[in-house]
Amino acid sequence: MIADVRLFRHGASVGSRVAPHVWAFVLAGSAPRRGPAALKRALERATRLAPANRVVAIVSRDSARACAEVLAETPDVATIMQPAYRGSAAELFLPVLLVARRDPDAVILALRAVLVGARPRTTRAPDGLVEPGSPLEGYEELSLLAVRRFVYETPRGLCARDLLAPAALAARARALVALGRRYIPEVLETLEPLEGVADALEATLLCEAVYECMPYASLSREFLERVPDLAVLPVPDALLDVGDAVAHLAS
């Protein structure tokens, strides 16, 4: 098993429901610098958005020790430990593939384990900040804004208040997998051997081998920048503990 993860350990039939399941993934990132406090807050948000048995924390071996105490406080939350951090794309798509195989219509909410505020407190961000554009045509009533571009270092003429720090991503599992296969096929092809063995004893050894070949890719640079119909939903001050902005992908 991959860090004792049993995503479907409660045995519910994925075809017997009317409404789709909501899964919340907490992306802990590469290293303890984000801190257990950020992970704890993200897990608290996640368990308000989805049942604990459909919340998954994704950590790397480098960050696992620093996160161990927080994870022990949420025993119903599954944990996936990556052998190494190979970017936020693999961090997201490993659990997405595992869920999509059994529950393709599930709604995925991916939350970053970061301490967020009303606006980004820095003009530099390795994972990217969003410069929002005009309201998305046809979705004006939902307050969705088109994504004008991702910014990794604020150019002259822009300041932090002009940008949004993406704190979450929402999409159906089926749509995410289809987009991933189209725009970052090398990541999904590398992960494919793990799709059917997440609960098997050999999964940990296989995961080690898979990650030795894993290309490094970030969600923003290698994936989201290539996706059409990407929109962002700015979160008002009253909802700040959910995050600055939620990115939506076409379903």
Side-chain angles (χ1 to χ4, degrees), residues 1-5 26-31 34 56-65 71 79-96 98 187 190-191 194 203-204 206-212 214-217 219:
M1 295 173 284
I2 306 173
D4 296 323
V5 58
V26 175
L27 310 181
S30 60
R34 292 184 174 180
V56 184
I58 301 92
V59 301
S60 66
R61 184 169 291 151
D62 290 339
S63 62
R65 181 174 295 180
L71 294 172
T79 300
I80 292 178
M81 185 174 71
Q82 303 173 102
Y85 186 74
R86 300 299 298 154
S88 48
E91 184 180 29
L92 172 64
F93 276 98
L94 175 55
V96 166
L98 300 180
V187 172
T190 305
L191 288 170
L194 296 171
T204 297
L206 182 57
C207 193
E208 296 276 352
V210 162
Y211 268 73
E212 287 182 3
M214 180 65 68
Y216 191 99
L219 278 175

Side-chain angles (χ1 to χ4, degrees), residues 165-181:
L169 180 146
R172 289 193 183 273
R174 189 195 307 272
L176 266 178
V177 172
L179 290 168
R181 294 195 192 284

Side-chain angles (χ1 to χ4, degrees), residues 126-155:
D127 293 325
L129 303 172
V130 171
E131 183 183 350
S134 56
L136 195 66
E137 186 176 354
Y139 295 91
E140 292 85 356
E141 72 281 2
L142 299 178
S143 301
L144 291 173
L145 302 177
V147 173
R148 181 171 293 160
R149 59 173 172 161
F150 283 85
V151 176
Y152 302 94
E153 185 171 349
T154 306

Side-chain angles (χ1 to χ4, degrees), residues 60-121:
S60 66
R61 184 169 291 151
D62 290 339
S63 62
R65 181 174 295 180
C67 299
E69 185 174 343
V70 172
L71 294 172
E73 295 173 0
T74 53
D76 291 333
V77 171
T79 300
I80 292 178
M81 185 174 71
Q82 303 173 102
Y85 186 74
R86 300 299 298 154
S88 48
E91 184 180 29
L92 172 64
F93 276 98
L94 175 55
V96 166
L97 286 172
L98 300 180
V99 169
R101 183 180 177 89
R102 291 282 301 274
D103 195 359
D105 292 319
V107 173
I108 304 296
L109 300 175
L111 310 178
R112 293 180 185 272
V114 293
L115 296 174
V116 297
R119 293 281 170 171
R121 296 191 175 115

